[in-house]
Structures are given as C-alpha cells and as structure tokens.
Amino acid sequence: MESRMPSTPSRRTVLRGLTVTGATVVGFDTAARSWAASAAEPGADLARVPRLDGTLVTDDASLTAAADDYGHIVHRRPSAVLRPGSVRDVVTMVRFCNDQRLPVAPRGQGHAPFGQAQVRGGLVVETAALADIGAVDTAGRTVTVGAGAKWSAVARATLAHGLTPPVFTDYLELSVGGTLSVGGLGGQAHRVGAQVDNVTELRVVTGAGELVRCSPTRRADLFHAVLAGLGQCAVIVEATLRLVPAPQTVRRYQLAYGDLETFLDDQRVLVQEGRFDYVEGQVHADAAGTFGVHVMEAVAYGPPVGPAPDDAALLRGLRHDPASAQIVDQPYYDFLDRLAPVIAAMKEAGIWTFAHPWLNLMLPGRSAAALGAQVLSGLTPAEAGPGAVILFYPLLRDRLTAPLLRTSDDDVSYLFDVLSAAPADDTAAVERLLDFNRSAYEATAAAGGTHYPVGSIRLTAADWRAHFGPAWAALASAKCTYDPRGILVPGQGVFG
C-alpha cells in the first residue's frame, strides 16, 4: 500500500476555495443529508469538507449533467460533483463519503448508456481532469496515464515513439479508466486480449479511501477485482499500459457475405489461424428491410511490425463475394480513428442526443449463428432506429485472461452488439427496445452465453451472480475488503 494520505481533517477544518454559485461549501449536513453553504443554519451538525485542490460543485447545471449519460434513459441526480485537481482530491472525498456513507461513482466521458456511472444523492467524481500521460518508456514498452486520459490522446503520445497500445475500442474518445472498468474490447482482442489484459499496474482509491498501487504481483486480489470489475471495489486513478511496436500503415479488407452462418464461420477461421491483426463484422439492412447484408472487416498491419500484406494468402479459402471486396491502404492512426467522421455526422444529425438502449452480448461460438439470427429476426432496421449498428467480434477464450471479463465457455465467443437508437422522448420505443434486450439476454444466457456489461439490460442481483459465475466469490470478497460500506458505483446494480 502507498503511504496513507493525511487523515480526514476534523470538523473544525476550514474549507478554502470551494464555491458553488457564489456560496462557500463548508460541509455536509449529516441530519439533512445535504451539502451546506456558508449560510447554513446555525447549529447544523456539519461534517466539514476537507481542503481540496479542485472544486466541489452543487449547482443545478452540473448536477443535471451528471444525472444523464450517452444513453439518455436513466436519470439519477447526485448531490454533488467533484472536479478533482489531483489524485489527492479523489482520496480525500472518497474517504469523506465513506465516513458519511454517501455513494460515489467515477465518471469519465459519460458514455455509459444505462446509468452505470450515475449515483442518486451521492458524489460523482469527474475523472476527465486526471488525464496526464507520462513519459513513454521505450525500453520497457509501457506508459503510465491518468484514468481520465482518452485513448485517442494515448495513441498519439505513444505513436510519436513508434509504439501503440495493442488493442483499442472502435471509438477512441473514451477514457482509459472507463474502458478498463468494463474490459475494453476491439477487433484486435482475438490476438492480444482485451485492454484489461494489457495493464501492468494500477493506482486506485478503494471505497475506504486508501490510495493503493496494485499489479499481478502486488495486491493481486485488488488488481484483478478492479479490471473489468465495474468500479465495485476501487476508483482507477492511474494505469500503466503495455505497448507494442506500431505499424505505419494498414490494409483494410471489407468482404460481403450473403448469410450470417458463413460470415461467422469465416470469422472463426480467421481468428483461429491468426491471419489478420483486426477482425470484426457488421450487419446492415438490405433492400427488403431486414438485416441481410453481412460485411467482414479484416485488417492486416504492415511494416515495421509485419510484411507487406499478401492479398491472395490472406483471403485464401474465404467464402465472401469476391466481386464486392474493397481493399484500401491507410495510415495506422487514420484506421484507429476511422469513426471520427461518422460520429461527427451523427452529432450533426442530432442522433447523439437520442436514447441509446444498447444490447451487448457474448454468444457461444457453437450457437452464435442461430442466436444471432433469432435476435435479429425480432428487430427491423426501422425499429433499431437511425444510425443503428450491428456488430460481431470473434474472440478467442484463451487470449482473455482477466478473471472478471466473462465470455462463454466455448473456445470462440462472439461479442454481438445491437446499437439501437430512439428519440429520447419516445418512451414507448425505448421501452420496446429494453424489453427486446432483456429477451435477447435471456435467450443468450440459456444457451451458455452472457453479456458484455456496457449495455442497457435490466439485470437482477441473481443475473449478476450468474454473469460472474466462478469469479463471483472473489469479487464479493474484494468488495467486502476494499469497499466495506458499499459506497462505490451503485448504478451498476451488481450487489443490489
């Protein structure tokens, strides 16, 4: 454990520098269960807020923003928002909230779709300020970054040294702490594992307010409980990431298929043989208004990490439509950031403000085609909404080593994403999609699959125990050890 931060100041501590709409926040009224300003009633039983480097805010605009997220479905209003000026602030305020039994949730880019980073009546910690990117260790091939750093910034910083994190989510404007809390999957994961499998060390603040450095050999129980642990045991404030040599260019192949089963079978072949560095696929609407167009996206890295791609060797034996194949070369970072123009167009069209009741499942390989077809048969492109995206990522079980990142027991699983959208004020459409998600989840669970916990599915405590399976006991033990009062991230609903 790191040296313990100075203990929480007594109630006589004078707060300096924390203002809310012109009034000074002096403490937490333990009777009224609310934050108190300098004009608080005389005699109020105040727990004085310690001095901070950043700001603690309770203005309406900040609380309203923290009560929303990318999903625009769940709205839980906190009582305060911390904008930390340092890691010390996170330690101080988590310890304070633990003393007062106030729930706490870290919030990175607010990209959760179902209230996962919200907390009713508690404290939201905005980690975006913790975005420092340390010097790249070119000899050890690592970089240490703040939890609020975006993956786009990490990529640019490491590419300046010819290095790169080995796996990325498709959308780069997510925070490091956010994706490490859920897993961090991308098309490279079949070769190199998820983002959580490429972390060498963490600094975290436990629910008891202790700043701890952990790794596979140092406080390993905490390390493994934090990675893909949904924030249940500690708040990530810093991560050391493994790096690998980066290519300068890549070759992208987009291959069309006429049916889902052949499309998934070829994905399986590619990841088992390791032909490509990146493999995923999309399903689009056809002229008949069904999800009938299947497009494989496979990417081969070029020099200096590999030879120039050989089209004939890479495509040998695949059963795609050769007449529709599209093959392009592009710079590596342009490939990583390929969604930037798509996201810009979505924002311009107003789709970014829609509700996003996303479905993210882990399908067993043996039944992926049947399950995928069953799920998609219950949804039309029109019902999925504007800008909806259907994705399949093939994953090899032996490359995913983080205990809490759950897949099926098959050697190959498929991450299956149905990224729907509906006008936020169309509650009937949103409810239909949430019901659809629950039904799809139940069918998947019955077949031996599970879900990737970044979506919008109504889950019970029993569902969570089933989800974590043999890893549940270790997670529950770590929760009792590191968050004994259960203040961290209640929005996930893992422990009820």
Side-chain angles (χ1 to χ4, degrees), residues 8 28 33 35 50 56 79-80 90-105 122-125 207 485 487-488:
T8 303
F28 183 75
R33 306 299 292 170
W35 300 96
L56 183 71
S79 62
V90 181
V91 174
T92 297
M93 286 309 301
V94 171
R95 187 175 300 162
F96 182 91
C97 288
N98 182 59
D99 290 344
Q100 300 306 320
R101 296 180 183 268
L102 283 169
V104 176
L123 178 71
V124 167
V125 178
R485 291 183 170 174
I487 68 168
L488 291 180

Side-chain angles (χ1 to χ4, degrees), residues 253 269-270 273-276 308-318:
Y253 300 78
V269 168
L270 292 186
E273 294 184 359
R275 293 192 205 178
F276 288 91
D310 180 337
D311 297 344
L314 289 169
L315 300 179
R316 183 184 63 252
L318 298 183

Side-chain angles (χ1 to χ4, degrees), residues 143-199:
V143 65
T144 299
V145 305
K150 296 179 183 179
W151 286 99
S152 58
V154 175
R156 288 193 294 268
T158 60
L159 283 174
H161 300 272
L163 298 171
T164 179
V167 59
F168 290 91
T169 54
D170 284 347
Y171 182 46
L172 294 186
E173 305 308 315
L174 302 177
S175 69
V176 169
T179 65
L180 294 184
S181 293
V182 294
L185 291 171
Q188 306 95 337
H190 73 277
R191 290 188 69 123
V192 297
Q195 288 175 333
V196 289
D197 298 308
N198 290 280
V199 177

Side-chain angles (χ1 to χ4, degrees), residues 272-293:
Q272 288 180 327
E273 294 184 359
R275 293 192 205 178
F276 288 91
D277 298 281
Y278 176 103
V279 178
E280 62 116 321
Q282 304 149 26
V283 181
H284 304 288
D286 57 21
T290 64
F291 290 111
V293 177

Side-chain angles (χ1 to χ4, degrees), residues 102-461:
L102 283 169
V104 176
R107 174 187 173 99
Q109 291 300 307
H111 202 71
F114 207 48
Q116 289 93 333
Q118 296 176 24
V119 55
R120 180 176 288 109
L123 178 71
V124 167
V125 178
E126 293 185 348
T127 64
L130 305 177
D132 288 348
I133 298 175
V136 175
D137 180 354
T138 55
R141 291 183 178 174
T142 62
V143 65
T144 299
V145 305
K150 296 179 183 179
W151 286 99
S152 58
V154 175
R156 288 193 294 268
T158 60
L159 283 174
H161 300 272
L163 298 171
T164 179
V167 59
F168 290 91
T169 54
D170 284 347
Y171 182 46
L172 294 186
E173 305 308 315
L174 302 177
S175 69
V176 169
T179 65
L180 294 184
S181 293
V182 294
L185 291 171
Q188 306 95 337
H190 73 277
R191 290 188 69 123
V192 297
Q195 288 175 333
V196 289
D197 298 308
N198 290 280
V199 177
T200 64
E201 188 175 79
L202 294 169
R203 274 210 306 166
V204 303
V205 179
T206 70
E210 294 179 331
L211 182 62
V212 180
R213 192 179 297 273
C214 55
S215 72
T217 58
R218 179 180 184 179
R219 301 294 286 271
D221 62 329
L222 180 59
F223 181 77
H224 293 304
V226 171
L227 294 172
L230 309 181
Q232 295 303 297
C233 299
V235 177
I236 299 172
V237 292
E238 188 179 86
T240 300
L241 310 173
R242 185 173 74 90
L243 303 175
V244 296
Q248 294 179 352
T249 62
V250 305
R251 181 165 295 176
R252 288 177 68 188
Y253 300 78
Q254 291 182 301
L255 314 172
Y257 287 78
D259 67 277
L260 182 61
E261 185 171 6
T262 303
F263 165 74
L264 295 180
D265 283 348
D266 272 8
Q267 280 196 334
R268 177 194 292 266
V269 168
L270 292 186
V271 300
Q272 288 180 327
E273 294 184 359
R275 293 192 205 178
F276 288 91
D277 298 281
Y278 176 103
V279 178
E280 62 116 321
Q282 304 149 26
V283 181
H284 304 288
D286 57 21
T290 64
F291 290 111
V293 177
H294 311 84
V295 179
M296 174 101 73
E297 182 161 13
V299 178
Y301 292 173
V305 302
D310 180 337
D311 297 344
L314 289 169
L315 300 179
R316 183 184 63 252
L318 298 183
R319 292 167 290 171
H320 65 286
D321 174 9
S324 64
Q326 299 181 35
I327 304 173
V328 297
D329 294 322
Q330 63 183 137
Y332 175 65
Y333 186 81
D334 288 358
F335 161 66
L336 295 180
D337 201 30
R338 63 199 177 280
L339 287 190
V342 177
I343 300 301
M346 290 176 63
K347 291 181 177 180
E348 180 69 22
I351 297 173
W352 206 253
T353 64
F354 276 39
H356 297 98
W358 284 3
L359 175 66
N360 306 83
L361 300 172
M362 287 284 194
L363 306 182
R366 64 183 180 277
S367 55
L371 276 171
Q374 177 185 336
V375 171
L376 291 178
S377 69
L379 186 71
T380 68
E383 291 168 335
V389 179
I390 315 296
L391 299 169
F392 283 91
Y393 298 79
L395 302 166
L396 295 180
R397 186 166 177 257
D398 64 1
R399 305 299 167 88
L400 303 174
T401 60
L404 297 183
L405 179 55
R406 309 302 297 165
T407 63
S408 78
D409 290 334
D410 285 9
D411 291 340
V412 177
S413 293
Y414 291 85
L415 173 61
F416 174 39
D417 296 337
V418 181
L419 309 183
S420 299
D425 59 358
D426 190 344
T427 56
V430 172
E431 283 298 315
R432 284 195 299 271
L433 288 168
L434 291 175
D435 289 344
F436 167 80
N437 290 356
R438 178 67 201 190
S439 177
Y441 164 75
E442 291 176 353
T444 298
T450 184
H451 72 116
Y452 181 50
V454 298
S456 309
I457 306 173
R458 294 186 175 110
L459 297 170
T460 66

